[in-house]
Amino acid sequence: MTEDIINKKKRIFSGIQPSGNLTIGNYFGALKNFGALQNDYECIYCIVDLHSLTVRQEPKNLRQHSYSVLALYLATGLDPEQNTLFIQSHVSAHAELSWILNCYTYMGELSRMTQFKDKSSKHADNINAGLFDYPVLMAADILLYQADLVPVGQDQKQHLELSRDIADRFNKIYSDTFVIPEPYIPKVGNKIMSLQEPERKMSKSDENENNFVLILDPYDTIIRKFKRAVTDSEKEIRFDPVNKAGISNLMGIYSSATGKSIADIEKEFSGINYGEFKIAVGEAVANELKPIQEKYNSLINEKDYLNEILKDSAQRAEHMARKTLSKVYRKVGLVPRQF
Ligand code: AQP
């Protein structure tokens, strides 16, 4: 074995939809992890704009949010030389592999997806085929790059399991083609809940802006949103997600921001009232986000710089993706292009 093979880093793929401004759910569940992994893995982080089209987007906002996600990737510390940071629609192999994988995915599997059920009840006037097919495009994203690991929040675990099933099915029919990806779910922060409805996940496309905290919310807004967070009629700061969903969610957020364990947080806030605790959580989050916001503000208008990163990264991604796609086309029996 050459030294090259022995030292080969495992590959990571993950993505974020530019379907709105990113929340602290996206941050603690995904982004914060991305930066932590960049030294130990070969990382490919995508801005999955095609996924966003499954829900109606204002074209101008979609473009702006795509740049915004890139600037946040950079502001949270991702090095554009070391990581591949690109926009999904710039590499057409995603859509192409997605078509092939559609033919290896069953309707029954897709209809069991909880995100499809949630989103179709939320967007009853627009239950489009893309919404149903979302997990197959996600499988194509991951499998194209032969990713070993996929860092995601808990909400994407079911989709990732489906990606594994599709890859395994394809491999069994045609011989080994895809690496079977493993989920990489953070121990804390993997499911940040809504501040007003703590039994629901915090989402960037929520209509009530008091339900979420944005990564780019000003300091005072962050504190105000936490002060308004729903709690319960007791007085004790105790972790019990079933009976004390609001307080437990705040404890999880505080733990994600400070690195303290839940047991230590229970001790630290023993005898302290809810009002004071909410302010402490708000301050911990706002202080963590402050340097990210400053970096973001210095980058977001540097369009030439951002476009240069998008171009370089898409070229790198295209190269990796084409290799897998050609292999797949050959295996299923498509005649290779002669030009
Ligand atoms: N509330 C959350 N807690 C922890 N992790 C979360 N993620 C999303 N919400 C939470 C993780 O963030 C990554 C990017 O998610 P996405 O934008 O691709 O799609 P999503 O999961 O559908 O996120 P949203 O915010 O709920 O978007 P909308 O409202 O557009 O559907 C993923 O790794 C996800 O797990």
Side-chain angles (χ1 to χ4, degrees):
M1 237 188 305
T2 66
E3 203 177 327
D4 208 31
I5 295 173
I6 298 166
N7 293 335
K8 199 168 181 296
K9 285 180 175 174
K10 286 198 170 187
R11 192 177 278 173
I12 277 188
F13 178 95
S14 196
I16 294 188
Q17 293 186 78
S19 46
N21 293 308
L22 301 197
T23 69
I24 57 167
N26 303 125
Y27 176 68
F28 290 122
L31 255 185
K32 188 171 175 177
N33 249 329
F34 291 0
L37 295 167
Q38 64 182 329
N39 292 327
D40 297 326
Y41 296 91
E42 180 194 349
C43 300
I44 303 166
Y45 295 126
C46 192
I47 297 155
V48 289
D49 54 350
L50 297 176
H51 281 279
S52 301
L53 296 176
T54 55
V55 171
R56 286 279 175 274
Q57 305 289 330
E58 189 60 50
K60 190 168 145 269
N61 292 346
L62 179 59
R63 263 189 294 276
Q64 193 254 317
H65 289 139
S66 298
Y67 280 108
S68 177
V69 175
L70 176 63
L72 279 173
Y73 279 169
L74 300 171
T76 49
L78 291 179
D79 175 351
E81 305 275 320
Q82 201 180 340
N83 303 279
T84 303
L85 312 174
F86 74 107
I87 292 184
Q88 185 185 30
S89 61
H90 292 180
V91 178
S92 59
H94 291 248
E96 294 169 77
L97 181 61
S98 176
W99 174 258
I100 303 279
L101 297 184
N102 270 325
C103 305
Y104 298 84
T105 309
Y106 300 116
M107 300 289 283
E109 289 175 312
L110 292 175
S111 27
R112 281 197 290 278
M113 296 293 117
T114 47
Q115 179 176 289
F116 173 68
K117 292 183 205 161
D118 287 353
K119 289 209 168 164
S120 31
S121 66
K122 247 165 92 186
H123 305 279
D125 55 337
N126 182 23
I127 307 176
N128 59 71
L131 196 59
F132 188 65
D133 204 29
Y134 182 113
V136 182
L137 179 58
M138 178 165 158
D141 298 338
I142 298 164
L143 301 181
L144 265 183
Y145 298 96
Q146 308 289 359
D148 300 287
L149 281 182
V150 184
V152 282
Q154 187 66 31
D155 63 319
Q156 293 297 332
K157 189 164 176 258
Q158 194 187 31
H159 287 169
L160 191 63
E161 275 159 9
L162 181 60
S163 300
R164 289 167 55 85
D165 290 344
I166 299 170
D168 185 53
R169 185 171 303 144
F170 193 97
N171 286 352
K172 286 203 169 109
I173 301 174
Y174 298 104
S175 78
D176 273 359
T177 307
F178 298 119
V179 169
I180 310 284
E182 296 285 339
Y184 186 96
I185 298 176
K187 288 205 175 61
V188 284
N190 64 39
K191 195 163 187 193
I192 304 289
M193 309 306 276
S194 152
L195 294 187
Q196 297 297 315
E197 296 164 75
E199 52 298 323
R200 283 180 39 199
K201 175 182 97 105
M202 182 180 286
S203 269
K204 61 174 114 59
S205 55
D206 204 310
E207 273 164 20
N208 178 358
E209 59 178 38
N210 285 318
N211 276 339
F212 53 72
V213 172
L214 299 177
I215 300 178
L216 298 175
D217 267 343
Y219 196 96
D220 293 347
T221 307
I222 296 177
I223 305 291
R224 177 170 43 79
K225 286 183 177 177
F226 276 107
K227 275 188 183 167
R228 286 188 187 164
V230 163
T231 50
D232 53 64
S233 54
E234 293 180 11
K235 289 195 164 93
E236 197 187 359
I237 297 172
R238 178 170 49 84
F239 193 73
D240 177 355
V242 176
N243 300 308
K244 295 168 75 69
I247 279 293
S248 302
N249 185 37
L250 294 176
M251 292 175 80
I253 294 172
Y254 189 71
S255 169
S256 297
T258 59
K260 293 178 184 171
S261 71
I262 294 293
D264 285 346
I265 296 170
E266 282 181 348
K267 271 190 226 139
E268 182 180 346
F269 291 97
S270 158
I272 307 275
N273 68 41
Y274 283 178
E276 270 182 66
F277 176 55
K278 287 185 194 179
I279 293 173
V281 181
E283 284 174 348
V285 170
N287 287 330
E288 170 146 357
L289 296 178
K290 196 163 171 268
I292 296 172
Q293 296 178 349
E294 285 166 4
K295 188 90 201 290
Y296 172 91
N297 290 332
S298 73
L299 286 165
I300 191 61
N301 294 319
E302 299 292 328
K303 283 281 153 38
D304 289 347
Y305 173 63
L306 298 178
N307 283 330
E308 199 54 38
I309 293 173
L310 290 177
K311 186 175 127 205
D312 286 355
S313 283
Q315 282 170 342
R316 260 183 277 156
E318 167 84 21
H319 181 74
M320 293 184 254
R322 280 285 143 200
K323 222 166 123 186
T324 303
L325 190 67
S326 309
K327 198 156 128 187
V328 169
Y329 276 8
R330 185 166 37 78
K331 291 212 179 186
V332 299
L334 304 184
V335 173
R337 273 163 43 148
Q338 302 301 318
F339 54 94

